[in-house]
Amino acid sequence: MWACRLTQRTKFSYEGFRWQPQNCEMPDFERSAFLRRMKDKTLAFVGDSLGRQQFQSLMCMASGGEESPEVQDVGRKYGLVKARGALRPDGWAYRFPKTNTTILYYWSASLCDLEPLNITDPATNFAMHLDRPAAFLRRYLSRFDVLVLNTGHHWNRGKLRANRWVMHVKGKPNNDRKLAVIGNAKNFAVRSVIKWLNSQLPKHPRLKAFFRTISPRHFSHGDWNSGGSCDNTAPLSRGTEVSQDASSDSAVESAVKGTGLKILDITALSELRDEGHISRYSIKGTEGVNDCLHWCLPGIPDTWNELLFAQL
């Protein structure tokens, strides 16, 4: 669904650029080297659909973009099976048997624990526990060697209403006016999950944990549902360098400071790549609909994985 070469798009120059950090050499991503580094290890992405894109990108990079019949679907070991009536499972897990490397993704758009308020009612609301990490994280953390978290784009009133999420703190509906502000609630949840994960690191000394900064949107002249678009196809029209030291995602940067988590900072470098979005070139090609949030693959998320591999 993200393969822009299967759409009506005609310009693919965005595929030909690589990031070069100053004063250090970023290693080329070689799948054999990656799989050797990840021998007998499990790498987990937990987050929203941009986390899913990073997972899909890494699966393509690790398999060389080719069908690999030997790669095993091990989703069942992590409870990742399609529920009756669902469009897709809550995630996927695949094992590369030659090196016993598992790469998985779990959909948790807010990273918060979600609990149905009335389990017998299909239309029930969900308690969104801002101070409690997703149950999947608590259950399977001991199996992970590398964990990459992200959240951000679902923190708006429309998404909360559509998902029937009701903010809870300390097991009760939130009545703190400050936390009722969506941005404050998001930052509180991010700090909560980082604080929890940091407390778990001594029990899992081999675990390397990353929090990925937010992936930028490039809608102009409106939003996704009000005629917004991103028609630029010229690479680096916004500039060629990131010169700032601080992260453009200050909330994540401050939350990981002083903890055992590392920041995977992709915001500023992705900000310069507005030509790499799906734009209007989706597989379905719905008239008047632009996707200036998700990225073409191969594309910008590959860079995120190159940075991740370099840090590993």
Side-chain angles (χ1 to χ4, degrees), residues 52-102:
R52 186 175 78 209
Q53 281 214 297
Q54 190 174 0
F55 157 78
Q56 290 166 321
S57 159
L58 187 60
M59 282 297 299
C60 289
M61 294 166 80
S63 62
E66 299 170 354
E67 277 292 332
S68 302
E70 77 280 2
V71 175
Q72 301 164 349
D73 182 342
V74 293
R76 205 167 273 280
K77 292 183 177 180
Y78 296 89
L80 301 175
V81 293
K82 195 169 107 170
R84 184 176 294 176
L87 289 174
R88 58 174 79 96
D90 285 335
W92 298 269
Y94 294 100
R95 178 176 168 270
F96 292 75
K98 287 179 183 172
T99 55
N100 188 30
T101 302
T102 299

Side-chain angles (χ1 to χ4, degrees), residues 153-165:
H153 290 294
H154 280 248
W155 291 88
N156 61 70
R157 291 286 170 203
K159 289 287 188 186
L160 263 66
R161 276 196 300 270
N163 290 314
R164 306 193 301 277
W165 293 344

Side-chain angles (χ1 to χ4, degrees), residues 31-312:
R31 59 174 170 154
S32 57
F34 168 77
L35 290 170
R36 278 198 308 274
R37 177 72 52 86
M38 293 301 295
K39 189 175 190 304
D40 299 322
K41 290 180 170 59
T42 296
L43 190 159
F45 295 97
V46 177
D48 60 21
S49 58
L50 278 305
R52 186 175 78 209
Q53 281 214 297
Q54 190 174 0
F55 157 78
Q56 290 166 321
S57 159
L58 187 60
M59 282 297 299
C60 289
M61 294 166 80
S63 62
E66 299 170 354
E67 277 292 332
S68 302
E70 77 280 2
V71 175
Q72 301 164 349
D73 182 342
V74 293
R76 205 167 273 280
K77 292 183 177 180
Y78 296 89
L80 301 175
V81 293
K82 195 169 107 170
R84 184 176 294 176
L87 289 174
R88 58 174 79 96
D90 285 335
W92 298 269
Y94 294 100
R95 178 176 168 270
F96 292 75
K98 287 179 183 172
T99 55
N100 188 30
T101 302
T102 299
I103 304 174
L104 71 84
Y105 163 75
Y106 178 74
W107 187 86
S108 178
S110 68
L111 301 179
C112 298
D113 197 19
L114 298 172
E115 215 173 29
L117 293 177
N118 181 355
I119 203 161
T120 62
D121 180 7
T124 187
N125 289 335
F126 291 82
M128 178 193 194
H129 296 283
L130 300 180
D131 51 354
R132 193 191 300 170
F136 181 86
L137 275 174
R138 302 199 309 271
R139 181 172 182 182
Y140 293 108
L141 187 68
S142 61
R143 297 195 195 177
F144 304 154
D145 299 277
V146 180
L147 174 62
V148 183
L149 301 175
N150 90 285
T151 187
H153 290 294
H154 280 248
W155 291 88
N156 61 70
R157 291 286 170 203
K159 289 287 188 186
L160 263 66
R161 276 196 300 270
N163 290 314
R164 306 193 301 277
W165 293 344
V166 180
M167 291 191 285
H168 279 55
V169 178
K170 295 180 180 175
K172 298 175 182 176
N174 173 54
N175 56 14
D176 183 335
R177 285 187 178 179
K178 285 184 181 176
L179 287 184
V181 178
I182 293 285
N184 293 343
K186 184 205 78 157
N187 293 345
F188 178 79
V190 166
R191 285 185 178 277
S192 294
V193 74
I194 287 174
K195 184 180 178 183
W196 170 80
L197 185 52
N198 190 53
S199 75
Q200 300 301 304
L201 291 179
K203 303 174 197 172
H204 308 289
R206 73 175 192 278
L207 177 64
K208 291 181 173 19
F210 295 85
F211 205 110
R212 205 204 72 216
T213 60
I214 198 162
S215 171
R217 313 155 88 248
H218 288 98
F219 288 96
S220 57
H221 311 299
D223 214 321
W224 66 273
N225 57 355
S226 57
S229 62
C230 44
D231 291 331
N232 175 43
T233 55
L236 305 177
S237 61
R238 291 171 174 243
T240 61
E241 290 185 358
V242 173
S243 55
Q244 67 201 49
D245 287 329
S247 173
S248 294
D249 190 340
S250 57
V252 168
E253 183 177 49
S254 63
V256 301
K257 193 173 183 179
T259 72
L261 281 76
K262 291 188 180 298
I263 189 171
L264 183 58
D265 195 358
I266 58 90
T267 306
L269 59 88
S270 304
E271 187 68 60
L272 299 180
R273 304 305 306 278
D274 62 314
E275 87 288 3
H277 287 292
I278 298 293
S279 185
R280 63 179 182 276
Y281 304 105
S282 66
I283 300 291
K284 294 176 182 175
T286 309
E287 192 67 34
V289 174
N290 272 249
D291 186 344
C292 307
L293 174 63
H294 297 100
W295 305 89
C296 293
L297 291 180
I300 311 309
D302 301 344
T303 295
W304 307 350
N305 285 320
E306 289 173 344
L307 290 168
L308 175 64
F309 178 56
Q311 289 199 61
L312 290 175

